[in-house]
Each structure stands twice: as structure tokens, then as C-alpha cells.
Amino acid sequence: MNTFDFGIVGLGVMGRNLLLNIASQKFAAAGLDLDAEKVNSLQQEADAEHTLEATTDVKHFVELIKRPRAIMLLVPAGKPVDSAIQSLLPHLDEGDILIDGGNTYFTDTDRRFLELSAKGIHFFGMGISGGEKGARFGPSMMPGGDKKAYERLRPIFEAIAAKVDGEPCVEYLGNGSAGNYVKMVHNGIEYGIMQLISEIYDLMKRGYNLDEDTIQKTFEEWNESDLKSFLIEITAQILKKTEPDGSRLINQISDWAKSKGTGKWTSQNAMDLQVPVPTIDAAVFMRDMSKSKPERIEAATKLIWENAKTTVDTTEAIASLKSALYFSTLITYAQGLAMLKTASKEYNYDLNLETVTKIWRGGCIIRAEVLEDFRKAFAQNTDLPNILLDSNIAAKLNESQKGIRTIIQFAVQNGLPTAGLMNSLAYFDSYRSENLPTNLIQAQRDYFGAHTYERIDAPGIFHTQWND
């Protein structure tokens, strides 16, 4: 009793694999689940080399863990988290630590943080990225909460995290719900990049009529270039998978896309903060559009665009597609990072974006080669309001923008949907515009609602009687 280093509540896929990861790193790990089958299955993993115990008894589980106790909850977001907390509370002592490792909306974490602080319990919201394999062999982890209490967790988290150049992909991020918030934005960026890759794939297949082998090999080659990333890597593997008859599995998968809501949370909160994230918004919109399959089938027969087919050079097309994807990927990261910058001030997180980009380099779903460039940019200028203002990143965008303009023109001419690519370019062109036509919007608002406006030639607030 009171000798185990760490406990996990919820022995589903993530909980089980994280617990095995912890045990593999020579920490004593305890698990709790109400499902006896899951408990028995995990118990069978215990051996002489790994100190591992699982139980269905809450009191026994808590008594196993040494003080101050460190217990992670890996249960579905919402009421199940509150229920798990309530079941543990009678057995906890002042100074114990609870960690919510699920995809919880950040305001719920803020509420629990305050409620448990009043009881002397430290509460952490921690984003975990990497899926089943990452949980077992090294995820990226994003903890936020009490900085002093994090020292109890740090040795374990650093041991089980993914490593890049010997550095663990976990670090204390900030106050309150900072960890859950960073994970929410991570997932928004993930939505955006996945949408961009799907559009590039569609252009290859339906636009440029590339054969399946060429498309698959192109993604493989791109993963050996500046586009190298986990999402490009798995795309190449997905496109290679065949059915027993030799046909590609991808062609049999429905285009009715599912989602769990984290991308939507990012878009909603970005609007609250008045931070534009149009590529992420477009990704959410396209998943919603995918659900209208019956209507789209009918619309395909009624809403027609005919365009004369033109001959294109395949090599040039692939080069332009690569530039377009690289450009729009940078823009998507830029939107998410700008959102984190604003949220850090709004919610008093005190985020360090060099730290955020550093721990995203390995283990997580959006890990990519370009994150090292972002880390270096924020290391040189911690006050950088937007990664696009870094000279190195700006040069990369300037070099690759011709490709995305070429691809979007082709997509428009051929009636192919490219909401992610179009919104990425719109963000870039808006951000680089010294003057926007929103002065007309200001005048319109003043005309019909007397909302006033500012002038560029004089300070103050002005109103005009427009119809006088």
C-alpha cells in the first residue's frame, strides 16, 4: 500500500497503453476500471519486470498510490469525468493530484480546477496526442495546472513521452486549463491539415487523373521532403492498402466523415476571441457538408459545370500540388499559433510558443518537420504575434505561393471543391494587405445603425448623416 507511483482511471485503449508505458519505464502503475474484464486483461500483462496492478475497487486503488497521489482520468469527456472525480474524492488527501487526460473543453477544466483547489486537490487538464501507438510507446503531452505540483508528475511524464533529439515531448505549459486549450487548438490544426491533404488527393485523382500508384508514390516521396509529417506518412500507407482482390481499400470507404467536436470547439472559440482561423473553419464546414450525402447525390445531377479538358504536364502538376500543400500547411499552423497567442493573454495562461512547438515535434498527430522551424522562430522572438512575420517562414511562403495560386485556378476551372486551399490563400492575402475594403463595411454600419467609425486623418470617433 502507498507505494505505487501513478494511477490511471479508465482502462480503455488509451488508459491501458499509457499504464503499460509507465510500467515499462520502471514505475509502479495502478489501474482502475469498473469493467472486470478490462481489469483481468491488464493483470495478465503484469510480470516480474513490471510492477502493475489493476482493480475494480476505488478505495483499494487509491490506497495503492503513494502520497501525494498522482491519478489520471482517461474517461469520456463531460459527466463521466465529474462522476470519476466524485468517486475518488472521499479517498483523497490534501495535496493529491488529479489529471484529466481526455479531450475536455477548457471551460470545464477551469471549473474543476477551482472546485478542487478549494478542497486542497491539485487538478491538471492534460492533452495527450499520438493515439493508441503513441500512448504505448511515446505520446506528446500537454499539461496545464499548478506549476509546483507538476514536479510530482514530471519524472514520469518525461520518461514515457516521445523524444526528439533526446528532448521529451512534454513540458508544463501554463496555468489552469492551458493544457486542454493547447490540445484543442492542436486538434483544430489537425482538422485543417487533414482537409488540405484530402483536397490535394482529390485534385490528383479527379482533377489531374493521376493513376493510383502515382498518387501513392507521390505521397511517399513527399514524406522524404520538407512536407515530412505523420499525416503525410499515414496517407501514403493508407493509399497503399489493398483489398483481397487487389483493389485499393480507399475506394470502398464512405465519404461521410465523422467528428468528435474538437475542431468545432476551435472554430467557436476563435470567433469568441476574434482570431481568424479560416482553414480550420473550412475543415469543420467540409465535414458537415460530407454528412449531406443524399442531397449531394441529387445535386450532382442538377448543379452542373462543364469545362473543356486541357492537357497538363504531370510533373509540373505534382510540383504545384506539393507547393500548394506546403504553403497551406504553414498557413494552418500559423492560424492555430496566432490563436494560442491571443488566448494566452485572454485566459492568463502565460504560454511559451517555443515550448508548444517543441513538444509537438514528436509523438503527436500534427508532428512535422516544419515545427522545428517554428520552434527556432519563437526562440529568436518570443513576442512574435504571428509566425508569418518570421523572415524564414515568410520566405518559404513567398517561394511556394505560385503553386497554390496555380492549383486553385485549376480547381475553379474544373469545378473541384478546395475550401481549405482557398481559405489558406485568402488568409495569406488578407494578412499581407496593408489596406482592406472593410472601411466600406464601417461606413455601411454607420449608415444603417449609427455605429460610428474612425478616420485615418484625425483621431476620435465619428458619425455621419449619410442620407442628409
Side-chain angles (χ1 to χ4, degrees):
M1 294 300 180
N2 300 319
T3 59
F4 279 64
D5 299 295
F6 198 82
I8 288 181
V9 177
L11 301 179
V13 172
M14 288 295 288
R16 175 190 178 87
N17 281 290
L18 270 175
L19 209 61
L20 291 171
N21 188 353
I22 292 167
S24 297
Q25 297 299 324
K26 309 304 181 185
F27 293 99
L32 172 69
D33 201 290
L34 299 181
D35 186 335
E37 187 175 335
K38 290 179 180 177
V39 167
N40 293 334
S41 175
L42 185 63
Q43 280 291 135
Q44 292 172 10
E45 296 280 344
D47 55 35
E49 295 183 9
H50 303 108
T51 306
L52 199 65
E53 184 166 339
T55 180
T56 58
D57 185 283
V58 176
K59 185 174 184 293
H60 177 65
F61 167 75
V62 173
E63 288 175 345
L64 286 172
I65 304 164
K66 67 182 180 183
R67 297 183 179 90
R69 299 179 181 90
I71 298 173
M72 183 186 294
L73 312 175
L74 280 165
V75 298
K79 290 182 179 179
V81 175
D82 290 317
S83 296
I85 291 172
Q86 291 307 311
S87 70
L88 292 167
L89 270 179
H91 310 289
L92 299 180
D93 297 316
E94 187 172 332
D96 286 348
I97 303 167
L98 292 180
I99 309 113
D100 179 6
N103 281 328
T104 291
Y105 193 55
F106 73 99
T107 56
D108 287 338
T109 298
D110 286 329
R111 170 178 58 80
R112 293 170 184 139
F113 181 88
L114 293 173
E115 290 173 353
L116 290 168
S117 293
K119 300 177 186 295
I121 306 296
H122 301 293
F123 187 73
F124 278 76
M126 185 170 79
I128 303 174
S129 181
E132 178 181 357
K133 187 175 180 181
R136 181 64 183 87
F137 300 106
S140 173
M141 296 183 287
M142 299 151 248
D146 184 273
K147 192 170 186 178
K148 290 183 180 178
Y150 180 68
E151 289 305 306
R152 164 73 170 86
L153 311 173
R154 186 169 57 81
I156 298 172
F157 288 171
E158 290 185 354
I160 67 171
K163 309 293 189 302
V164 174
D165 298 331
E167 296 180 310
C169 293
V170 61
E171 195 164 328
Y172 173 81
L173 291 181
N175 308 312
S177 58
N180 283 133
Y181 193 94
V182 170
K183 179 55 163 46
M184 178 187 76
V185 174
H186 164 289
N187 286 14
I189 294 170
E190 177 186 307
Y191 268 57
I193 296 174
M194 290 170 71
Q195 176 61 31
L196 294 169
I197 292 172
S198 74
E199 290 176 9
I200 293 294
Y201 164 74
D202 192 34
L203 284 161
M204 287 177 167
K205 191 175 181 68
R206 290 199 296 156
Y208 293 104
N209 296 312
L210 302 182
D211 64 84
E212 291 177 327
D213 284 341
T214 299
I215 295 173
Q216 191 277 327
K217 288 175 182 176
T218 296
F219 277 101
E220 272 191 353
E221 291 169 4
W222 284 355
N223 197 46
E224 300 301 322
S225 70
D226 51 6
L227 273 173
K228 184 176 182 179
S229 68
F230 174 72
L231 286 171
I232 295 293
E233 176 187 346
I234 68 169
T235 299
Q237 293 175 2
I238 288 167
L239 296 177
K240 200 170 189 176
K241 193 71 174 178
T242 58
E243 295 274 67
D245 64 0
S247 63
R248 306 279 173 154
L249 172 59
I250 188 64
N251 296 325
Q252 300 303 320
I253 296 177
S254 167
D255 65 346
W256 193 315
K258 304 294 192 300
S259 62
K260 290 188 175 180
T262 48
K264 179 183 70 175
W265 291 349
T266 307
S267 288
Q268 288 174 330
N269 186 248
M271 290 183 183
D272 291 338
L273 295 175
Q274 298 182 11
V275 177
V277 291
T279 309
I280 296 169
D281 295 340
V284 175
F285 139 62
M286 287 301 292
R287 291 206 194 184
D288 291 341
M289 180 64 78
S290 79
K291 295 175 174 61
S292 60
K293 180 72 171 182
E295 296 171 48
R296 289 190 287 116
I297 292 172
E298 183 179 356
T301 65
K302 295 182 177 179
L303 307 176
I304 309 297
W305 167 251
E306 296 291 348
N307 182 56
K309 297 294 182 182
T310 56
T311 303
V312 296
D313 182 278
T314 300
T315 302
E316 290 182 5
I318 290 175
S320 293
L321 287 163
K322 181 187 176 189
S323 293
L325 183 54
Y326 183 70
F327 177 98
S328 52
T329 298
L330 294 183
I331 293 293
T332 306
Y333 280 112
Q335 292 169 23
L337 292 168
M339 183 174 173
L340 288 178
K341 191 78 174 179
T342 299
S344 182
K345 295 177 183 177
E346 180 71 18
Y347 304 128
N348 299 312
Y349 289 148
D350 195 26
L351 294 174
N352 182 321
L353 294 188
E354 180 194 357
T355 300
V356 172
T357 50
K358 182 176 76 172
I359 65 175
W360 281 353
R361 293 178 305 164
C364 73
I365 303 302
I366 64 170
R367 62 184 184 264
E369 196 89 341
V370 73
L371 281 161
E372 177 61 16
D373 293 328
F374 295 158
R375 187 200 66 76
K376 290 177 180 177
F378 287 117
Q380 292 173 356
N381 184 359
T382 56
D383 296 324
L384 197 64
N386 192 306
I387 197 70
L388 304 190
L389 297 179
D390 175 75
S391 297
N392 179 46
I393 300 302
K396 292 176 183 294
L397 289 166
N398 290 337
E399 290 168 6
S400 57
Q401 67 174 300
K402 182 180 178 182
I404 194 168
R405 295 185 192 281
T406 299
I407 292 302
I408 288 175
Q409 287 176 353
F410 176 85
V412 170
Q413 290 167 355
N414 288 274
L416 295 173
T418 51
L421 293 167
M422 287 179 173
N423 277 280
S424 296
L425 184 59
Y427 182 91
F428 176 81
D429 283 339
S430 298
Y431 194 71
R432 70 181 188 85
S433 294
E434 184 177 348
N435 295 303
L436 292 170
T438 40
N439 58 331
L440 178 56
I441 294 173
Q442 286 292 79
Q444 291 169 333
R445 293 178 73 248
D446 189 55
Y447 187 109
F448 62 70
H451 293 299
T452 72
Y453 58 88
E454 295 83 20
R455 297 178 63 96
I456 61 174
D457 58 353
I461 304 297
F462 297 87
H463 169 61
T464 294
Q465 293 295 333
W466 295 93
N467 58 354
D468 185 1

